[in-house]
Amino acid sequence: MLRHSFIFILLFLLTAESYGQKTVNQFINELKKNKTCLAVTLPGWMINSGTRIALKQMNEQDKSEIVALGKKIKQLRFIMIEDDLVVSKKEFLSAIRSMQDKDQFEIYANGRTKDGTLYVMVKEKKDTIKFLTMLYYDNDMIAVVNIKSDLKISDLEAANFSFNNPDFSF
């Protein structure tokens, strides 16, 4: 009996965790129908390892901050399509609304370029960013980055990047 209870609880937790990004994954899967898409999914350990290699040119202060934040990333999923878009702007905006309504994502920021729109959306749980999703749409391109994480808001606020220093210059 105990074994069955344990299996039920485990399945419930796995289902609850994946539900938090259900609409994002559905949207990415819809985009993957395009034969020319570039789609990549990376586990957190690979991101952490890659971060250390990619940061060789940065100053030590920024390296340590990025590595510390990178350790809290569990997965990164990226997709980009150029030309021959499989979804319209209306469907793109509908996916954003669905993320808000069904999965309780909040729009953290949005902005416009000459031709496109960028949305940065987050799903939080107890002051922790569980999902950070960036979506971009213009007439010729769609890009989505979905990051599954355990980033605390306080970690981001406390990050001491050199570019936050008033004496910073390029």
Side-chain angles (χ1 to χ4, degrees), residues 5 14 39 67 70 76-77 121 157:
S5 298
L14 290 173
V67 168
L76 180 140
R77 193 168 183 200
M121 303 182 72
E157 292 170 348

Side-chain angles (χ1 to χ4, degrees), residues 13-96:
L13 291 174
L14 290 173
T15 304
E17 182 68 23
S18 66
Y19 182 76
Q21 59 180 352
K22 185 176 181 181
T23 54
V24 177
N25 284 332
Q26 287 173 342
F27 186 59
I28 289 173
N29 291 338
E30 180 67 25
L31 294 174
K32 283 176 66 175
K33 291 178 182 177
N34 183 302
K35 292 176 177 58
T36 63
C37 75
L38 169 65
V40 177
T41 300
L42 299 172
W45 66 267
M46 189 178 283
I47 294 166
N48 190 23
S49 298
T51 301
R52 293 174 190 274
I53 295 167
L55 297 177
K56 291 189 184 233
Q57 300 300 317
M58 295 185 83
N59 70 43
E60 289 304 314
Q61 178 182 349
D62 288 349
K63 279 184 194 180
S64 63
E65 295 292 345
I66 290 174
V67 168
L69 293 175
K71 288 179 181 177
K72 297 187 179 198
I73 294 176
K74 294 179 174 183
Q75 182 186 59
L76 180 140
R77 193 168 183 200
F78 170 80
I79 188 164
M80 183 177 80
I81 301 171
E82 290 185 287
D83 303 319
D84 194 27
L85 302 181
V86 292
V87 298
S88 67
K89 180 143 188 176
K90 183 178 179 180
E91 292 168 315
F92 176 81
L93 294 173
S94 176
I96 289 172

